[in-house]
Amino acid sequence: MEDLSIQNVNLEKSENLERHRTEGFSSSDALVVRRGAPFKISLQLKGRPFNPRTDTIRIKVMLGRLYVIMPVTYSQKKVSSSQWKAYIDPECLNLQNPSIFICSPASASVGCYKFQLCVFTHDQQQKCAFGKFILLCNPWCPEDAVYIPFEDQREEYVQNDSGLLFMGTHMNPVSRPWSFDLYEPDVLETCLNLLQISPQHQKNRRVDYLNRNNPVYISRVVSAMINCEDDRGVLKGNWSSDFKQGVNPSMWTGSGDILKQWAQTGYSPVKYGQCWVFAAVMCTVMRVLGIPCRVVTNFNSAHDTNNNLLIEEYYTETGQKLNNSKDSIWNFHIWVECWMSRRDLGSGMDGWQVLDPTPQERSGGVFCCGPAPVKAIKDRRIDLLYDVPFVYAEVNAAVHTIVVSQGRVISLSKDTERVGSLICTKAIGFSRLQNITGDYKYVKSPSSTLKSRSSTISEDSTIRRAGPSEGVQVFLNLDKAPVAGEPITFTVKVINKQKVNKMMKVHLNAQAKEYNHRPSEELKTFWETHGVIQLAPMEVKVLNQQILPAQYKDVMGDKMINLAVVLQDTASQEHALASEEFNIASPELTIKIADEDSAVPNKEQVATVSFTNPYSHPVSGVLTVAGAGLIQGKVQFRMLPLYPGRRVEQRITFTPTTVGTKMLQASLSLTNFSPTIRGFKMVSINNA
């Protein structure tokens, strides 16, 4: 009889992908599996059958130059997840096509492995075959450091390839759809290559491979590699208004285009990113690598440059905001949280960890941030790794609002609730916001994030020291969340706290600003009004104000509005200020799908995208529609001028390729007009 030889090794991809929850990566050439769980390979033998008494099998698994050799045993016992094992189930042994189960440790390093399988016959002749597999972290394995206990969390934070990013202000959060594109062609390979071209890998490959068993290490490498400040990272940041050399960050709709461009240009940084782009791309990479991840928004995020937990903001005596401080408050800042145990810190710090790839401050000499345990931030454990003090300040710094005149401080007030007023993420399984502020800080009351901004003359101010009077108190309150095309209406409430008549000068102004306003930028005043009011003793007076669409139309889009009121007592020269920053919500596109309940793979579906022009002038532009797993690439349509109040509809067709919940998203870029109009629709694709 002809001697035994190996004809083929079957990686059993469909069975393994289903068992390891990696079906989405079926387009990859390699087998994609998760650590700590067995995967099956089958030998196709030629010649005589396998003889368990005289033939032995050894498997050599290699990651770079690291390797382990293991004998194939015969055992039905539970396989330990602490070391590499290979075994044959004797009850299912097919001697002509034996199946072997390979199981990696739950702490194995992430990466692309090669394996060599050798059969030694009774005369010690060696028959070999080769293969490869990609090994990811395993949130389903209790022994894995990234284990997350509930299936709905794993579906949302590991497998979901679309989501929402929250922007705007805490008073008026705006959800922006984002396609994480986990399963798009070449995204998996690009995420693995990100680890390969990192400085850590280039410096010492062996040490890097060994350290890749630890999600803390992986997350710091990825955090640094998303920006390009210290390496050949993915994105170049740009917070100016000049994007001629690249793409305006607001135009990105998903991670796939960014990662593909990065890979196709030889890993040259993609231009440009801002915080939400950095965070969303990092979320893609972490989910691909098997580490649970979610995108988090911190509204009124402090950048405390001198680490004194104090942000100073300066205004003129007529309410114009000045650029006098190196500290800053971003209306929103977006980072990610990753779920992992912190064996380096103790079990009390397990769970969600803040990681921030936006280049702001160096950590260990490199532009990265985290992982900082959310529990450590809440308890102010600033002695713990990594970067807890920086994140703590982002959500807890106090704000001193200072009014100056001719170089002299004439009013000072303190606000301890503005910074970190709302911290949120996408809710599990729903397209809505989940408030997680209480995870980061001890919240006084649920309504604290919705309070109107008010000001009194403080104990420390020069006004207060001028005499025993209690002066006046002023409140500034928006009547409702501003919407494009409608007047911005607000009220100014003035309280005379003295038993004397007062004549008050009233200064109101609105300035356009970027969400991350920095000291070097000029704020543009686009609306102001001034007047005088009389206050009777102890009188409360309410002033109703509005800013018309024609007055704010040039500052729409991603701009923020700083609205301020300053009161001046003409007799005592006392001042009081109140301010509020807000965004103007853009209108949305509406997407409707015909026969939505019958959506199945490989069956053409019809969707209708509609838009009604709320503006006071005609608009035109380009409509772009995309959807991972629904549409190949993007489709675009040119929209002719649409007059005020008129509605337009665009019919599109798409053919789903895979089962699951997918996001169909549309964006309308208007010509010579800054807002981008967006909309999305979640589509459930069922088995046929």
Side-chain angles (χ1 to χ4, degrees):
M1 178 184 288
E2 184 182 353
D3 196 16
L4 175 153
S5 64
I6 302 173
Q7 187 175 16
N8 186 34
V9 176
N10 185 345
L11 297 180
E12 304 288 359
K13 281 186 70 172
S14 60
E15 179 180 337
N16 285 318
L17 293 179
E18 182 179 359
R19 178 180 292 179
H20 286 254
R21 283 98 169 173
T22 53
E23 302 102 308
F25 300 119
S26 58
S27 62
S28 173
D29 293 335
L31 172 65
V32 184
V33 293
R34 300 190 186 277
R35 64 189 189 179
F39 63 92
K40 176 182 173 182
I41 62 173
S42 299
L43 299 183
Q44 292 180 316
L45 301 179
K46 190 177 179 182
R48 69 170 176 82
F50 180 75
N51 185 342
R53 295 192 183 122
T54 59
D55 302 329
T56 59
I57 305 174
R58 289 182 193 166
I59 298 177
K60 181 180 182 180
V61 174
M62 297 160 279
L63 180 62
R65 294 184 178 180
L66 300 177
Y67 67 90
V68 62
I69 299 174
M70 52 190 159
V72 177
T73 62
Y74 302 88
S75 173
Q76 291 179 286
K77 295 179 182 178
K78 185 179 184 302
V79 178
S80 167
S81 60
S82 63
Q83 56 186 332
W84 285 93
K85 296 280 189 179
Y87 65 94
I88 292 174
D89 184 349
E91 292 188 2
C92 304
L93 179 57
N94 180 329
L95 297 179
Q96 198 64 50
N97 296 297
S99 293
I100 300 167
F101 293 90
I102 301 173
C103 188
S104 64
S107 59
S109 294
V110 168
C112 187
Y113 286 74
K114 296 177 182 178
F115 71 85
Q116 181 186 45
L117 185 148
C118 294
V119 179
F120 296 89
T121 60
H122 64 283
D123 56 1
Q124 290 301 301
Q125 289 187 353
Q126 182 177 326
K127 318 291 182 181
C128 293
F130 297 86
K132 66 177 182 177
F133 60 91
I134 291 171
L135 193 65
L136 307 177
C137 292
N138 190 353
W140 285 263
C141 175
E143 291 82 15
D144 197 312
V146 303
Y147 173 69
I148 193 166
F150 300 107
E151 184 61 24
D152 61 345
Q153 294 175 333
R154 294 187 286 254
E155 289 178 4
E156 181 70 45
Y157 302 136
V158 182
Q159 296 179 294
N160 197 349
D161 66 348
S162 64
L164 299 178
L165 316 179
F166 293 98
M167 307 167 74
T169 60
H170 75 287
M171 299 283 288
N172 192 17
V174 174
S175 60
R176 174 173 292 187
W178 190 271
S179 183
F180 294 116
D181 296 326
L182 310 180
Y183 311 119
E184 291 297 283
D186 302 321
V187 167
L188 168 65
E189 288 73 15
T190 301
C191 293
L192 290 168
N193 286 339
L194 179 147
L195 300 179
Q196 297 296 103
I197 66 169
S198 69
Q200 291 87 340
H201 187 75
Q202 297 300 315
K203 181 180 178 181
N204 191 323
R205 299 186 178 194
R206 181 178 184 277
V207 171
D208 175 61
Y209 279 136
L210 288 171
N211 286 334
R212 280 197 213 168
N213 70 332
N214 185 354
V216 174
Y217 173 83
I218 294 172
S219 65
R220 282 185 65 78
V221 171
V222 174
S223 177
M225 282 295 297
I226 297 299
N227 69 73
C228 66
E229 298 304 308
D230 309 288
D231 44 47
R232 298 167 64 194
V234 178
L235 281 158
K236 177 67 176 174
N238 185 344
W239 283 267
S240 75
S241 57
D242 181 5
F243 305 114
K244 295 188 185 71
Q245 301 300 314
V247 175
N248 183 327
S250 295
M251 300 307 295
W252 298 115
T253 58
S255 304
D257 289 343
I258 294 169
L259 290 168
K260 288 175 188 175
Q261 181 177 325
W262 182 58
Q264 290 168 359
T265 57
Y267 306 107
S268 297
V270 176
K271 300 175 180 179
Y272 293 103
Q274 291 185 11
C275 66
W276 69 91
V277 186
F278 286 107
V281 174
M282 182 165 183
C283 186
T284 294
V285 176
M286 300 308 279
R287 288 185 183 180
V288 165
L289 297 179
I291 300 175
C293 188
R294 62 188 186 183
V295 180
V296 171
T297 301
N298 176 35
F299 285 101
N300 294 329
S301 188
H303 192 159
D304 180 18
T305 58
N306 54 7
N307 299 317
N308 65 352
L309 291 177
L310 185 64
I311 307 295
E312 295 177 331
E313 293 192 333
Y314 292 87
Y315 286 82
T316 69
E317 58 188 324
T318 56
Q320 291 177 313
K321 197 171 187 180
L322 299 171
N323 296 321
N324 288 10
S325 175
K326 292 183 179 179
D327 293 337
S328 62
I329 298 176
W330 294 21
N331 292 100
F332 65 88
H333 181 47
I334 300 181
W335 56 64
V336 302
E337 290 176 357
C338 291
W339 181 278
M340 64 188 75
S341 62
R342 291 302 300 271
R343 293 162 189 172
D344 56 328
L345 301 179
S347 60
M349 294 297 121
D350 292 349
W352 290 116
Q353 315 284 320
V354 171
L355 288 142
D356 191 349
T358 299
Q360 295 184 95
E361 300 282 335
R362 282 191 162 90
S363 172
V366 176
F367 276 107
C368 69
C369 178
V374 172
K375 293 176 183 176
I377 296 161
K378 185 170 184 175
D379 293 335
R380 202 180 177 183
R381 289 292 308 277
I382 58 177
D383 56 308
L384 297 180
L385 297 173
Y386 291 92
D387 308 305
V388 174
F390 182 76
V391 183
Y392 180 87
E394 287 185 295
V395 301
N396 283 295
V399 183
H400 277 188
T401 302
I402 302 164
V403 181
V404 295
S405 176
Q406 298 177 343
R408 187 172 66 92
V409 174
I410 59 174
S411 175
L412 171 64
S413 59
K414 184 177 181 179
D415 189 340
T416 58
E417 295 181 357
R418 179 175 162 196
V419 168
S421 55
L422 172 63
I423 306 169
C424 65
T425 188
K426 177 187 173 297
I428 296 175
F430 296 95
S431 298
R432 61 172 183 247
L433 176 152
Q434 177 185 347
N435 186 337
I436 57 172
T437 312
D439 294 348
Y440 281 80
K441 55 202 296 186
Y442 293 94
V443 180
K444 293 179 181 178
S445 69
S447 62
S448 65
T449 60
L450 300 176
K451 288 179 65 178
S452 63
R453 294 278 162 225
S454 67
S455 174
T456 57
I457 299 165
S458 78
E459 295 287 348
D460 299 327
S461 73
T462 55
I463 306 166
R464 195 56 193 245
R465 289 196 297 270
S469 73
E470 292 185 37
V472 296
Q473 188 173 15
V474 59
F475 291 86
L476 178 62
N477 194 39
L478 293 168
D479 295 344
K480 63 175 184 175
V483 178
E486 299 179 10
I488 299 168
T489 59
F490 61 97
T491 56
V492 177
K493 183 179 180 181
V494 185
I495 304 172
N496 183 359
K497 303 188 78 175
Q498 291 183 319
K499 296 179 180 179
V500 295
N501 290 311
K502 285 185 178 290
M503 179 181 289
M504 308 294 297
K505 288 184 178 178
V506 181
H507 306 284
L508 279 158
N509 76 75
Q511 296 168 279
K513 66 183 285 288
E514 302 295 335
Y515 75 96
N516 67 317
H517 166 62
R518 294 187 169 187
S520 61
E521 296 166 356
E522 291 299 324
L523 296 180
K524 176 186 175 184
T525 299
F526 66 89
W527 176 88
E528 60 185 322
T529 184
H530 308 274
V532 177
I533 60 171
Q534 299 278 352
L535 291 174
M538 309 300 289
E539 182 183 5
V540 177
K541 185 164 283 188
V542 176
L543 310 177
N544 295 300
Q545 297 286 333
Q546 68 175 358
I547 305 174
L548 299 175
Q551 295 171 305
Y552 67 71
K553 67 181 179 65
D554 293 333
V555 296
M556 290 192 56
D558 295 321
K559 293 282 193 294
M560 298 291 167
I561 308 300
N562 182 273
L563 182 65
V565 55
V566 173
L567 299 181
Q568 179 186 355
D569 188 323
T570 58
S572 67
Q573 297 303 305
E574 294 176 348
H575 289 73
L577 176 143
S579 66
E580 185 65 80
E581 293 189 346
F582 60 87
N583 55 305
I584 303 171
S586 296
E588 295 184 353
L589 300 175
T590 302
I591 304 176
K592 293 185 178 179
I593 298 175
D595 300 322
E596 186 176 344
D597 295 335
S598 65
V600 295
N602 304 315
K603 178 186 175 183
E604 186 176 274
Q605 299 289 136
V606 177
T608 303
V609 182
S610 59
F611 171 64
T612 302
N613 180 9
Y615 303 113
S616 57
H617 53 85
V619 295
S620 60
V622 176
L623 175 69
T624 303
V625 182
L630 300 174
I631 296 174
Q632 288 289 329
K634 294 180 172 64
V635 291
Q636 291 189 325
F637 307 90
R638 183 162 293 282
M639 188 184 79
L640 297 175
L642 183 67
Y643 289 89
R646 300 296 296 272
R647 174 186 173 92
V648 66
E649 292 186 350
Q650 177 64 55
R651 180 179 180 274
I652 64 164
T653 59
F654 64 95
T655 304
T657 56
T658 56
V659 171
T661 302
K662 307 296 177 184
M663 175 187 281
L664 185 66
Q665 59 172 310
S667 59
L668 176 59
S669 298
L670 300 179
T671 305
N672 299 324
F673 198 46
S674 57
T676 297
I677 317 300
R678 296 180 174 85
F680 71 96
K681 175 78 173 176
M682 303 309 296
V683 189
S684 294
I685 311 302
N686 305 306
N687 284 308

